[in-house]
Amino acid sequence: MIVVDLLRIISALIAIVGSTMLIPLATAFFCGEMEALPSFAIPMISSWILFGIGALIFKRRKILLNIRTTFVVVALAWIFTSLFGMIPFCIGGYIPGFTDAFFESVSGFSTTGSTILNDIESLPKSINLWRCQTHWLGGMGIVALTVALLPLLGVGGFQLIKAETTGPEKSKVTAKITTTAKILWFIYLVLTLVETVLLKIFGMSFIDALSHAFSTLGTGGFSTMNSSVGSFNSLGIDIVITVFMFLAGVNFSLYYYLVVGKIQDIRENSEFKAYIGICVIVSLLLTFCIMPIYGSFGRALRYAAFQTGAIITTSGFATADYTTWPYTAQFLIFLLFFIGGCSGSTGGGIKVIRWVIMGKQVSNEIKKILHPHGVFSIRLNNNPGRKDIVFNVAAFLTVYIILIMATTFVGCLGNLDLTTALTGAISMVGNVGPAFEKLGPSQNFGWLPGFVKWWYCFAMLAGRLELYTMIIFFMPAYWKK
C-alpha cells in the first residue's frame, strides 16, 4: 500500500504543477508564440490523464505516513517535479540536452537561479515565464501547495510539510495544517500580485513584471533579461525588487500575525530583529565601500541595498557585477552567502535563526567561564528556548559544511579553480545562484562538466530541503528496522 499511496501523492502533485502551466500556455497563445503551445499543452494534459487514471484505479482513502515514508515522498516529489518541469524546455528544443534541462529545472524549483543559458532574451516569453514560475512554485513549497489544494493526506500532511519547510523549528500557524498551507499561500499570492502591479507601474511589461515577481517572491533569481534586473536601469524597479526581496526573506508566519493583530509577537521575534539588523548594517557598510565607484551616497546605497537583499535572501538577482567591486565589498557579499533568509521564508541558506541561536550559545559559554556556578539558558522571542535546539543547530551546521566541502571537491574534479569551486559549492547548497570567479553574476553554468552539474542538482535539492531529507537515504540507520 505504501507504493500505492506514493503514486497517489506524486500524481496529485504533478497534476497540480501541470495545471499551473495554464499561465505560460495562455501567455504563449496571447503573445502569438504558437510553436511554444505544445511545450505546455502536452505535459499539462498528460498530468491530468495520469491523475485521472490513478483516481479511478486507487480507492479514495486517507493517507497515513510514518517518518520513513515521509522522507521518501518529499524527496521523490521534488525529483519528479523537477523532471516534469523540464519537459517544456525539451519539447520545444529550447534546452536540448537532458542534463542541462534537468539542471535548469532543479535550479528553478529549488529557487537557486543558476542558469546554463547564454541568451535568455532569445527564448519565447512563455518559456521565460515558466522558468520564473518554477521559482514561485518551489519557493513556498510544492508539497505545501498540494496539501493546501488537495487535503487527502490525513495526519501525514504536517509531516510532509515539516520535511519541506525551512528552519530548525516547524510549527503550525493554525490548528489544521491544510488551513495553515492555504493561509500562507494566499499571503504569498497577494504579495506577488502587488509586486507585479508595482513593477508594471515602473515600466516593465506585464509578462516581465509577473516573471520577476515570481522570481522575487520565490527568492530565485531567474530573469527574462541577459543582464538580470540591471538591464532595466530603473531606480523604481530596483527599489520595488529590493523591498520585496526583503519581504520574501521574512518568516511568512509573521505576515499572518500582522493580519490577525499579533503585533507583539512580531516585535519580540528574535530572528526578525536580527534579520533587519544584518540587512541595514551590511547595506550601509557596502555603501561606503562602493561610494568611490558610484560617486554619491544615494547611488551607492541603491546598488548596495539591492545586492545585500539579493544575496542574504538567496534571490541572486543582479544590478551590478559585485566581483568588480573592492575586495572589502566582495568580502561582505561573501559573508552573506553563509546567512540566508529567515526560517519559514522562501529564502535559502543556513537561516538567520540558526546564527541567532549559536550567537546566544557563545554568549552563554562566555558567561559560564566568568560565572562557573551560574545557570544560563537561551531565550528566543522573549521566551526560554528548548535545550536541545543548540545541538540541532550544531548538527545542521556540521552537515552543511561537510556537504559544501564535498561539493567543492567535486568542482575541483571538474577542473574548477579553488575559489570558483568553493563559492560555487556554497551557492549551490545555499540556493544562492551566482558565486565568484568563473561562476560570478555575469557568468552562467552551461560550461560545467556533466557530472558536476548532476552533483550540483543534488546539492541544490539537498539545500532546499534542509539537507536531511535528501541525505538521510545515505545513512545506514535509515535502512535499519
Side-chain angles (χ1 to χ4, degrees), residues 78 82 89 101-115 130-139 214-215 218-222 431 460-461 464:
W78 280 78
S82 298
F89 304 142
F102 186 67
F103 181 94
E104 195 78 6
S105 183
V106 170
S107 181
F109 282 107
S110 67
T111 72
T112 304
S114 303
T115 182
W130 172 244
R131 291 174 63 246
C132 298
Q133 189 176 317
T134 58
H135 282 330
W136 193 74
L137 293 170
F214 279 158
S215 288
T219 61
F222 280 158
N431 304 132
M460 286 188 284
L461 288 174
R464 173 58 184 84

Side-chain angles (χ1 to χ4, degrees), residues 26 28 74 101 127 215 220 257 331 357 381 408 414 435 439 455 460:
V74 174
I127 292 294
S215 288
Y257 295 152
F331 175 72
I357 291 168
N381 308 332
T408 301
L439 296 177
W455 181 268
M460 286 188 284

Side-chain angles (χ1 to χ4, degrees), residues 47-67:
S47 69
W48 293 345
I49 293 173
L50 289 174
F51 178 66
I53 293 173
L56 290 174
I57 295 176
F58 305 129
K59 291 182 179 179
R60 182 174 179 81
R61 65 183 183 85
K62 282 193 174 182
I63 300 172
L64 304 179
L65 302 172
N66 59 36
I67 296 296

Side-chain angles (χ1 to χ4, degrees), residues 179-200:
T179 304
T180 296
K182 288 175 182 177
I183 288 173
L184 296 182
W185 266 96
F186 178 75
I187 294 170
Y188 193 47
L189 177 62
V190 169
L191 288 174
T192 304
L193 293 176
V194 171
E195 185 185 0
T196 301
V197 171
L198 291 175
L199 290 176
K200 181 72 172 66

